[in-house]
Amino acid sequence: MADNKIKKVVLAYSGGLDTSIIIPWLKENYDNCEVIAVSGNVGQGTELDGLEEKAIATGASKLYIEDLNKEFVEEYVFPTIKAGAVYEGKYLLGTSFARPVIAKRIVEIAKAEGADAICHGCTGKGNDQVRFELAIKAYAPDMKIIAPWRTWEFKSREEEIEYAEAKNIPLKINRETNYSKDKNLWHLSHEGLDLEDPANEPMYNKEGFLEMGVSPEQAPDVPEYVTISFEKGIPVKLNGEAVGSVEIIEKLNEIGGRNGVGITDIVENRLVGMKARGVYETPGGTVLFAAHNKLEEICLDKDTLHYKKNLANTFADLVYDGKWYTPLREAMSAFVDSTQEYVTGDVKLKLYKGNIIDAGVTSPYSLYDEEIATFDEDEVYDQNDSAGFINLFGLPIKVRAKKGLIK
């Protein structure tokens, strides 16, 4: 397996099970090559604690920890919110749009370090291998990519744990709680163990399972109101107070989390052809999507709103499939940005035991006209006009009926 031409490898490093054992594995299989670890900080929180010491102790020559939070939110999360993109109607793409920003930075470091290859710890069954590698191809098309899960001797996470124990590599997991997790500012995913059987109800109330909030049953018995202000589709204020792009997600994670909001159980269709079951926690993101959708109800005309909803499915597929750096995604984002010109206003929501309930929306650009919509007397809508409209609108049906073509 050894490739003597590979002297320096840059590793996408999280400090989790896979990447922890990859460092010694690379050195064993690539002639004691230099391994430079890179961790993209997109809001993993305490998962980054002690990472440098651990990486170096397991054989890395150095560790970069890159703060990508602001770039992640403003250049990946917000465009996806504005597009209204949700994969298969449930998944808010938390892992999907974090991978491109991390991979892009890894390529930049690999070039600066003169690396011969980039390595990642994604499995051969997952979506992330595609997301990482498409981003690498976009910015370093000739860079060699090493994906140990596709070639190494380990066939399960159990065997990985045994290898880690043999190498005295400290792990924050054990065999009983070995869920496969991915955490960032936007979400936390849970996969594996009992979740692999869709018949099993997730253990939401088990201590340590949910990390970003509580189950709806454990949420307060009193609703909590939140008001989000948008400018051109971007959230800029929370409860009347100006907040930064990263801060508003952090605060909404706290608010949504304590009210049991944003827990999703989905059997999704992976890019590689299989179905996979996962539980996602996305408290703040779920609140933001609900608020943005509500504001668009009054700010977008019917044709634009309906067309945009169709586009959202394609946008979600592109993000899920790792095609962020593609002409189509960029063109779709340009269209979305044009639709957001007047998506400005305030949305009030009521959060209660996992539910998000609309509680009012206002905008200086609202297309809702109370005088036109009212059931009371008005002077702007002539109801007699509807008769001629229906005659013309229904003319094709009438013609078919006269020809005896209606079955």
Side-chain angles (χ1 to χ4, degrees):
M1 182 186 298
D3 186 339
N4 294 329
K5 294 180 181 179
I6 295 178
K7 304 296 184 183
K8 185 183 291 189
V9 179
V10 169
L11 168 66
Y13 184 74
S14 68
L17 174 59
D18 295 329
T19 57
S20 292
I21 67 172
I22 280 176
I23 294 175
W25 183 88
L26 283 171
K27 298 179 78 67
E28 289 175 358
N29 288 274
Y30 289 89
D31 196 25
N32 200 34
C33 64
E34 180 182 359
V35 179
I36 298 171
V38 179
S39 293
N41 179 5
V42 286
Q44 297 94 313
T46 57
E47 289 184 7
L48 299 173
D49 294 347
L51 217 55
E52 182 175 13
E53 179 182 359
K54 181 177 179 179
I56 292 175
T58 50
S61 62
K62 67 175 77 170
L63 170 70
Y64 288 86
I65 297 181
E66 302 293 295
D67 187 352
L68 303 173
N69 281 285
K70 194 170 189 293
E71 181 181 357
F72 172 48
V73 173
E74 295 181 0
E75 297 185 23
Y76 299 81
V77 174
F78 283 173
T80 305
I81 293 175
K82 289 190 291 184
V86 180
Y87 185 69
E88 297 188 339
K90 296 179 76 173
Y91 174 39
L92 297 185
L93 298 165
T95 299
S96 307
F97 53 27
R99 295 313 186 219
V101 65
I102 294 171
K104 180 181 177 184
R105 184 64 184 127
I106 288 171
V107 168
E108 292 168 352
I109 291 173
K111 288 181 176 180
E113 287 281 357
D116 303 305
I118 291 174
C119 179
H120 65 73
C122 307
T123 77
K125 288 185 176 182
N127 303 301
D128 279 347
Q129 58 181 336
V130 181
R131 296 164 184 155
F132 267 114
E133 294 187 29
L134 292 191
I136 294 169
K137 292 179 186 299
Y139 288 97
D142 296 323
M143 180 70 68
K144 181 175 178 58
I145 298 171
I146 300 173
W149 257 109
R150 299 203 287 255
T151 60
W152 66 12
E153 62 272 27
F154 310 120
K155 303 302 180 185
S156 68
R157 291 175 68 82
E158 177 74 21
E159 292 182 5
E160 288 184 277
I161 293 174
E162 291 175 357
Y163 179 83
E165 291 173 344
K167 296 291 183 180
N168 296 314
I169 298 172
L171 300 173
K172 294 182 181 180
I173 61 174
N174 57 51
R175 287 170 171 78
E176 289 71 37
T177 61
N178 185 23
Y179 287 106
S180 177
K181 296 188 178 186
D182 178 74
K183 184 178 183 180
N184 59 42
L185 178 67
W186 186 250
H187 91 153
L188 173 64
S189 64
H190 309 256
E191 295 178 327
L193 298 181
D194 55 300
L195 297 179
E196 291 189 347
D197 184 350
N200 292 332
E201 179 181 4
M203 296 181 289
Y204 296 129
N205 293 321
K206 182 180 179 180
E207 184 177 355
F209 182 75
L210 296 178
E211 298 182 24
M212 297 184 73
V214 300
S215 69
E217 297 97 323
Q218 295 174 321
D221 294 330
V222 178
E224 181 172 357
Y225 287 87
V226 61
T227 299
I228 303 170
S229 303
F230 291 83
E231 290 182 5
K232 296 186 176 182
I234 294 176
V236 294
K237 290 183 180 180
L238 180 59
N239 295 328
E241 179 182 347
V243 288
S245 56
V246 174
E247 185 183 8
I248 195 168
I249 295 177
E250 292 174 334
K251 288 182 176 295
L252 285 173
N253 278 338
E254 294 176 10
I255 296 170
R258 65 176 172 248
N259 286 285
V261 166
I263 302 170
T264 299
D265 181 355
I266 179 175
V267 177
E268 68 195 58
N269 289 293
R270 282 186 178 174
L271 174 60
V272 293
M274 71 180 69
K275 289 185 181 289
R277 198 271 190 96
V279 170
Y280 298 105
E281 298 180 62
T282 322
T286 302
V287 175
L288 277 177
F289 261 87
H292 182 263
N293 287 342
K294 188 63 182 178
L295 185 58
E296 285 193 328
E297 284 183 13
I298 66 170
C299 293
L300 296 185
D301 64 278
K302 175 184 173 181
D303 287 345
T304 301
L305 180 65
H306 287 195
Y307 187 84
K308 185 172 176 292
K309 286 186 180 298
N310 291 330
L311 173 145
N313 288 327
T314 301
F315 194 104
D317 286 345
L318 289 175
V319 177
Y320 188 86
D321 293 350
K323 294 183 176 180
W324 187 271
Y325 304 117
T326 60
L328 178 57
R329 201 283 307 163
E330 292 169 0
M332 292 176 77
S333 283
F335 166 77
V336 167
D337 285 344
S338 72
T339 70
Q340 301 299 290
E341 181 69 22
Y342 301 108
V343 181
T344 295
D346 300 330
V347 181
K348 186 177 182 181
L349 301 171
K350 179 166 65 174
L351 311 182
Y352 182 64
K353 289 189 173 296
N355 296 291
I356 301 177
I357 303 165
D358 296 332
V361 57
T362 62
S363 170
Y365 305 112
S366 174
L367 300 179
Y368 178 85
D369 189 317
E370 187 174 350
E371 188 174 8
I372 293 176
T374 182
F375 284 97
D376 294 330
E377 183 178 355
D378 68 84
E379 297 180 355
V380 296
Y381 190 100
D382 187 345
Q383 298 196 30
N384 289 322
D385 290 344
S386 62
F389 165 74
I390 294 171
N391 285 335
L392 294 179
F393 190 67
L395 185 58
I397 296 175
K398 184 177 180 179
V399 171
R400 283 177 56 84
K402 285 190 169 185
K403 296 290 186 179
L405 301 177
I406 303 293
K407 296 181 181 178

